[in-house]
Amino acid sequence: MSHVDVLKLHELKATPQRLCVLDVLEKYGHATLEDIEKYTKVKFSTLSLSTIYRNINEMLKKGILSEVKLANKKDHYEITKANHAHLVCIQCGKIEDFTINTQELLQKAETLTCNKIYNITLSFNTICKECLSAK
Amino acid sequence: MSHVDVLKLHELKATPQRLCVLDVLEKYGHATLEDIEKYTKVKFSTLSLSTIYRNINEMLKKGILSEVKLANKKDHYEITKANHAHLVCIQCGKIEDFTINTQELLQKAETLTCNKIYNITLSFNTICKECLSAK
DNA sequence: GTATTTGCAAATGATTTGCAGTGCT
DNA sequence: AGCACTGCAAATCATTTGCAAATAC
């Protein structure tokens, strides 16, 4: 689905400002507020910071975007997608999506806790191949 | 090990302010900055907010404390302990520690990514028993 | 045409810092 | 005694808000 359609589906107008934020997130996968400000300014030099804040909050509320919160890192944002894990480089900070089946883990947790588990948040700290070969 | 010893081990003086913060974290398990401010003030009414900030940052840097970052929640802090998962109630927000063996998962991720994984961050969203029975 | 959205500037909130005084070891 | 630590006030940084003008549909 196009970004225009996603916005309309959530009753938000498809303004160039919003589309620009979504394009940046699409392109970079995960970005902090500063990243978004920096990258959007390239294509859209008049985009104001308050508009970025407002739109991110709105799109979070609608579920179009999700927060990615990692220890010792600024919050990142991503376009909401199916449940997935993150592979985080502890050296350069790069974040990659990583599809892994967590069904087994979820069931294990349900058994151990006797609770229904609705959702898992999972990330792996690693050193990426670029950082490894760069030393 | 006592909190005094932990601080000395990391070359930090065992001031009443630091001990008070550690006591609160020990007692509550996980706490936000506001929680810490509120709970420490009960026993230590003159403890200043800047001291809390400074000490939390210092103890984070030394590894005595860890950040707990969860979607849609203020950051929490905990005393660093062996790798463990969090069980988070999506209704009341309570956070519980939860020991689960992640070795298998770690190995699966290493195989899939061909990377060495150093650490896993894992949390489960659930509805706790109190919230379930309270409805 | 109208309701939403935007940019700007100002307000608010969160965190850090400088410094003089205090207190741990 | 000496240096690390604290509290306070001010500075800085981050986020939100009010409002008039602009724009999506």
Side-chain angles (χ1 to χ4, degrees):
Chain A
M1 205 185 336
S2 74
H3 293 156
V4 172
D5 292 339
V6 172
L7 289 168
K8 292 196 172 159
L9 193 68
H10 289 91
E11 298 165 314
L12 293 175
K13 295 197 171 172
T15 63
Q17 287 88 340
R18 286 175 181 152
L19 292 171
C20 187
V21 169
L22 287 171
D23 284 346
V24 162
L25 286 172
E26 179 98 47
K27 178 167 178 194
Y28 292 94
H30 314 82
T32 63
L33 238 137
E34 281 136 23
D35 293 338
I36 294 172
E37 191 190 4
K38 190 169 66 185
Y39 297 134
T40 53
K41 284 267 164 81
V42 175
K43 289 273 169 189
F44 201 136
S45 60
T46 61
L47 207 174
S48 76
L49 193 49
S50 52
T51 295
I52 295 178
Y53 273 107
R54 259 188 297 229
N55 282 334
I56 287 183
N57 287 338
E58 234 149 355
M59 291 193 278
L60 280 174
K61 209 179 301 170
K62 299 280 188 176
I64 300 173
L65 302 185
S66 306
E67 281 179 333
V68 180
K69 304 188 80 173
L70 299 165
N72 313 313
K73 285 204 180 315
K74 294 229 171 100
D75 292 352
H76 286 67
Y77 301 94
E78 65 183 7
I79 296 177
T80 302
K81 28 190 157 7
N83 213 11
H84 61 283
H86 289 117
L87 203 60
V88 183
C89 177
I90 56 181
Q91 210 136 102
C92 71
K94 189 174 54 190
I95 304 171
E96 276 177 34
D97 285 348
F98 174 31
T99 305
I100 185 170
N101 186 353
T102 53
Q103 206 50 38
E104 208 178 302
L105 182 69
L106 191 150
Q107 260 148 28
K108 195 157 129 193
E110 289 195 331
T111 307
L112 286 169
T113 63
C114 305
N115 278 21
K116 168 134 188 60
I117 309 289
Y118 296 97
N119 195 271
I120 294 185
T121 303
L122 178 58
S123 67
F124 299 93
N125 282 330
T126 188
I127 294 180
C128 72
K129 294 177 182 74
E130 286 72 27
C131 285
L132 258 192
S133 61
K135 67 170 181 184
Chain B
M1 204 185 335
S2 74
H3 293 157
V4 172
D5 293 338
V6 173
L7 288 168
K8 291 192 172 161
L9 193 68
H10 289 90
E11 299 165 311
L12 293 176
K13 295 199 169 168
T15 63
Q17 288 87 342
R18 284 176 182 150
L19 293 171
C20 188
V21 169
L22 287 171
D23 284 346
V24 162
L25 286 173
E26 178 98 47
K27 179 167 178 195
Y28 292 95
H30 314 83
T32 62
L33 237 135
E34 280 136 22
D35 293 337
I36 294 172
E37 190 189 5
K38 189 169 68 185
Y39 296 135
T40 52
K41 283 267 163 83
V42 175
K43 290 271 168 189
F44 201 137
S45 61
T46 60
L47 207 174
S48 75
L49 192 51
S50 52
T51 296
I52 295 178
Y53 273 108
R54 260 188 295 229
N55 283 334
I56 287 183
N57 286 338
E58 234 149 355
M59 292 193 277
L60 280 174
K61 212 179 299 172
K62 298 279 188 177
I64 299 172
L65 303 184
S66 306
E67 282 180 334
V68 180
K69 304 188 81 175
L70 299 165
N72 312 315
K73 286 202 178 316
K74 293 230 172 98
D75 292 352
H76 286 68
Y77 301 94
E78 65 182 7
I79 296 177
T80 303
K81 29 189 156 11
N83 214 9
H84 62 283
H86 290 117
L87 203 58
V88 183
C89 177
I90 55 181
Q91 208 136 103
C92 71
K94 190 172 55 190
I95 304 170
E96 276 176 33
D97 285 348
F98 174 31
T99 305
I100 185 169
N101 185 353
T102 52
Q103 206 50 38
E104 208 178 302
L105 180 69
L106 192 150
Q107 261 147 28
K108 195 157 127 193
E110 288 196 331
T111 307
L112 286 170
T113 63
C114 305
N115 277 22
K116 168 135 189 58
I117 308 290
Y118 296 96
N119 195 271
I120 295 184
T121 302
L122 178 57
S123 68
F124 298 93
N125 283 330
T126 187
I127 293 180
C128 73
K129 294 178 183 72
E130 288 72 26
C131 284
L132 259 192
S133 61
K135 69 167 178 185

